[in-house]
Structures are given as structure tokens and as C-alpha cells.
């Protein structure tokens, strides 16, 4: 790999991630499903997309709903940005967790 990737996070985000890590570190991921057949596995794309749909737009005080942004869209944007910054495919795949999905 050889190229360090730093992701700036706000202090309050770090607090949330550190607290989540205390509860999920033995599972290997921070954002885990707690129900259904996916229990104790990383949450899926639908969970994140549904969360984005319910987020409140501060300009209108309404939920964003559908069509604003999807988790897949964020993933695609991240991949494009990292490719433009000349990160290797291996690094990008690991950041997206594709290795665990593909075996």
C-alpha cells in the first residue's frame, strides 16, 4: 500500500465511534445489525440508505426522503475521489469492505 490515508473527523464523531467500539470491537465492525438474519454482521446498504432518507434537512425541517443521496452514491463518490488521488484499488476495496464480501 505505502500511502497513508487520513480521514478528518469531528470530535463528537470520534466520541460516538469510540463508544460504539467498546460495544462491538469483538465483532470486528462498528456498525452492526442487531436484528434478523444479518444479526451481528455489518449493516447493509439498505440500512444506511433508509437512515439518510429519515435525516432532517435543516433548511426545510423535512426528511430528505428518496432521491437526495444514497449510501451507494456516497460509496461511488468516495471511490472516484480516491482513484483521482491515485490510491490503489486494493486500498479502495479495503476501505469499502469489499474483501470481506468477496471472500
Amino acid at each position: 500500500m505505502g500511502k497513508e490515508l487520513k480521514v478528518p473527523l469531528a470530535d463528537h464523531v470520534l466520541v460516538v465511534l469510540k463508544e460504539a467500539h467498546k460495544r462491538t470491537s469483538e465483532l470486528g465492525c462498528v456498525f452492526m445489525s442487531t436484528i434478523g438474519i444479518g444479526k451481528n454482521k455489518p449493516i447493509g446498504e439498505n440500512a444506511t440508505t433508509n437512515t439518510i432518507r429519515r435525516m432532517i434537512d435543516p433548511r426545510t425541517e423535512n426528511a430528505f426522503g428518496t432521491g437526495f443521496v444514497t449510501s451507494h452514491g456516497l460509496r461511488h463518490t468516495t471511490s472516484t475521489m480516491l482513484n483521482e488521488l491515485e490510491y490503489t484499488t486494493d486500498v479502495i476495496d479495503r476501505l469499502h469492505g469489499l474483501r470481506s464480501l468477496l471472500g
Side-chain angles (χ1 to χ4, degrees), residues 15-30:
V15 169
V16 170
L17 289 174
K18 287 177 183 176
E19 184 61 32
H21 183 260
K22 289 179 194 175
R23 299 167 192 231
T24 62
S25 61
E26 71 281 354
L27 299 172
C29 291
V30 174

Side-chain angles (χ1 to χ4, degrees), residues 61-77:
E61 297 187 12
N62 295 321
F64 282 121
T66 59
F68 179 74
V69 68
T70 64
S71 56
H72 182 76
L74 293 173
R75 183 184 185 111
H76 181 46
T77 300

Side-chain angles (χ1 to χ4, degrees), residues 1-3 82-83 85-94:
M1 293 192 293
K3 196 170 187 181
L82 293 172
N83 273 298
L85 292 171
E86 300 179 355
Y87 283 91
T88 65
T89 303
D90 185 51
V91 169
I92 296 168
D93 286 352
R94 281 200 231 164

Side-chain angles (χ1 to χ4, degrees), residues 4-54:
E4 184 178 350
L5 175 64
K6 292 185 178 183
V7 179
L9 297 172
D11 291 340
H12 64 279
V13 172
L14 292 173
V15 169
V16 170
L17 289 174
K18 287 177 183 176
E19 184 61 32
H21 183 260
K22 289 179 194 175
R23 299 167 192 231
T24 62
S25 61
E26 71 281 354
L27 299 172
C29 291
V30 174
F31 301 106
M32 307 298 291
S33 178
T34 59
I35 59 172
I37 60 172
K39 187 173 183 173
N40 295 331
K41 294 183 180 176
I43 59 172
E45 185 176 321
N46 287 340
T48 54
T49 296
N50 287 333
T51 300
I52 292 168
R53 285 183 186 143
R54 291 189 304 266

